[in-house]
Amino acid sequence: MNRDRSLRSVAAGLLCAALAACASYGRPLFEIAPEINATLYTGPTLIEPGDVLDLRFVRKPEWNQIAQVRADGRISFPVVGELRAAGKTIAELDRQLVATYGQVLEDPSLLLNVGGDRGGEGRDSPQAITISGEVRTPGGLTIVGERITLIEAIGRAGGHLKDTALLGNTLMMRRSPTTGLYASWRIDAREDHWEKSQPVYLQRHDIIVVPNTPIDNVNIWVDQYINKMIPTGLTTFALGIFVADR
């Protein structure tokens, strides 16, 4: 936990330095949309760090558990200990749990779902994205059973703050559910680009930041302090850790 906090502090400080040092617009929305959409994950839904799993036992309710997948992709399960969850489908993890609990229970029947209330510690939807910065209601957005666009997400967050938001440097970060690495873009999403662009579609765990300060090319920063330094899946929503242009 202390290591995670330290990494968050270092990343936040470096981001602040990058923000203070540069100024320009990102790539126009209509130009960058096809590139971003090409990275959409279309396979079966995989469990990712940050997901909340709800485990229920048919014959052993005292072992019921709601827990969040840690940054290292693992969860500590009752009695059997730690297992890796990230990168598996719910069905795959369900089968693994049945086999594992079959060694200690006569009837290992169980139900496993993504999503749940962590007893006041917070919530994480299986389809949550995060939007922060110069919008009216920053925070998590739920997109269960639908495909939401970047512009729709800004709208659902109450819209951008017209006096301070710099839509021309809208930032987007996407974590690959298969590799755990982040791709990032700096987007000129000003309103005059909206009608002539194909939509930029979002997927769960995407992070969007609408800044009020220009951000220049920080690919090296992202590679060093997102992909390499911060543990895979470390939740960076509170920092608004962002995105570089590609």
Side-chain angles (χ1 to χ4, degrees):
M1 182 65 71
N2 289 335
R3 182 169 181 266
D4 284 358
R5 289 200 187 102
S6 176
L7 289 171
R8 290 168 189 252
S9 298
V10 169
L14 289 166
L15 177 57
C16 289
L19 289 172
C22 41
S24 68
Y25 286 134
R27 289 165 59 192
L29 187 65
F30 61 86
E31 175 187 307
I32 203 171
E35 178 182 319
I36 297 175
N37 290 337
T39 70
L40 286 167
Y41 176 72
T42 58
T45 300
L46 300 180
I47 298 168
E48 298 184 51
D51 284 340
V52 174
L53 300 187
D54 187 348
L55 176 62
R56 304 287 168 176
F57 292 87
V58 175
R59 304 292 184 186
K60 202 74 172 173
E62 63 270 26
W63 288 4
N64 290 352
Q65 178 188 29
I66 295 174
Q68 191 169 36
V69 182
R70 300 196 307 259
D72 63 4
R74 303 177 72 84
I75 284 184
S76 181
F77 290 99
V79 180
V80 300
E82 289 193 355
L83 294 174
R84 182 166 185 82
K88 295 181 171 69
T89 65
I90 284 291
E92 288 171 340
L93 183 58
D94 186 280
R95 289 193 293 270
Q96 181 181 3
L97 288 171
V98 169
T100 301
Y101 278 106
Q103 301 174 27
V104 294
L105 290 176
E106 184 174 334
D107 180 2
S109 299
L110 54 86
L111 300 172
L112 180 67
N113 291 292
V114 178
D117 189 343
R118 301 180 62 229
E121 297 178 11
R123 297 181 65 89
D124 187 22
S125 162
Q127 296 291 321
I129 64 171
T130 300
I131 181 164
S132 63
E134 300 300 295
V135 292
R136 295 190 183 281
T137 54
L141 298 176
T142 300
I143 51 173
V144 177
E146 61 179 319
R147 183 71 79 183
I148 187 174
T149 70
L150 170 65
I151 303 307
E152 288 171 343
I154 293 173
R156 292 192 191 187
H160 62 287
L161 301 176
K162 296 184 182 298
D163 291 338
T164 57
L166 188 64
L167 285 178
N169 256 327
T170 298
L171 311 170
M172 177 174 174
M173 186 164 69
R174 170 168 292 163
R175 179 186 182 278
S176 167
T178 55
T179 68
L181 299 180
Y182 286 91
S184 54
W185 300 269
R186 189 165 58 92
I187 308 167
D188 183 350
R190 287 176 292 174
E191 292 172 274
D192 56 351
H193 293 317
W194 291 4
E195 291 187 3
K196 58 184 177 182
S197 173
Q198 66 173 270
V200 169
Y201 291 105
L202 305 182
Q203 64 187 29
R204 69 195 193 105
H205 297 312
D206 280 354
I207 300 173
I208 306 299
V209 182
V210 179
N212 61 5
T213 303
I215 297 177
D216 211 339
N217 188 325
V218 285
N219 284 319
I220 294 175
W221 184 89
V222 171
D223 184 57
Q224 284 294 117
Y225 299 100
I226 297 292
N227 289 342
K228 294 179 181 177
M229 183 176 177
I230 297 179
T232 299
L234 180 64
T235 51
T236 55
F237 304 136
L239 296 176
I241 283 185
F242 98 109
V243 249
D245 66 339
R246 293 177 36 107

